[in-house]
Amino acid sequence: QVQLVESGGGSVQAGGSLRLSCTASGSTFPSSMMGWYRQAPGNECESVSIIDSEGRVYYSDSVSGRFTISQDNAKNAIYLQMNNLKPEDAAVYHCGPAYVDYLPGVGSCWGQGTQVTVSS
């Protein structure tokens, strides 16, 4: 019955920053591993960053060094700080359960998500 809500997207110039938030309506996330995913029109769903219950993190090569994932379990929230944004980062960003293979699962890029646009 948990619902996830993403927020914080927007439109920025290349080199700018955004901070995305994902909050769960219930008392806990639906999975011990949570992640951020993104999908641009015509592209496949891509794993961006993953964090587990112990705070261990994963980043895709394309965002490593620029993005930071964090969590606040007390608030049932995860965040994605995105710095030095590039036009290729433009996509709809989604949060959801993550998996041990670090790949998107069915539904990882479903839902409304939050839109990020980056202009050059």
Side-chain angles (χ1 to χ4, degrees):
Q1 77 284 1
V2 173
Q3 291 184 313
L4 302 175
V5 179
E6 302 96 342
S7 62
S11 181
V12 298
Q13 292 183 323
S17 298
L18 287 171
R19 183 175 183 263
L20 306 184
S21 298
C22 171
T23 58
S25 63
S27 62
T28 185
F29 287 111
S31 173
S32 61
M33 297 178 64
M34 295 293 295
W36 287 97
Y37 306 87
R38 68 186 183 187
Q39 187 170 40
N43 291 356
E44 62 186 1
C45 184
E46 175 187 12
S47 296
V48 177
S49 184
I50 290 166
I51 188 166
D52 70 14
S53 61
E54 302 300 321
R56 293 180 287 256
V57 299
Y58 157 85
Y59 300 99
S60 68
D61 290 342
S62 62
V63 308
S64 181
R66 300 187 296 118
F67 291 9
T68 303
I69 190 171
S70 60
Q71 65 186 354
D72 187 338
N73 290 327
K75 296 181 179 179
N76 295 324
I78 61 170
Y79 308 93
L80 187 67
Q81 178 67 45
M82 305 186 296
N83 296 327
N84 192 24
L85 282 160
K86 302 176 180 180
E88 52 263 43
D89 295 318
V92 177
Y93 284 71
H94 306 259
C95 65
Y99 309 95
V100 296
D101 61 3
Y102 301 107
L103 298 176
V106 174
S108 291
C109 286
W110 294 357
Q112 184 170 315
T114 186
Q115 177 77 53
V116 172
T117 59
V118 185
S119 62
S120 60

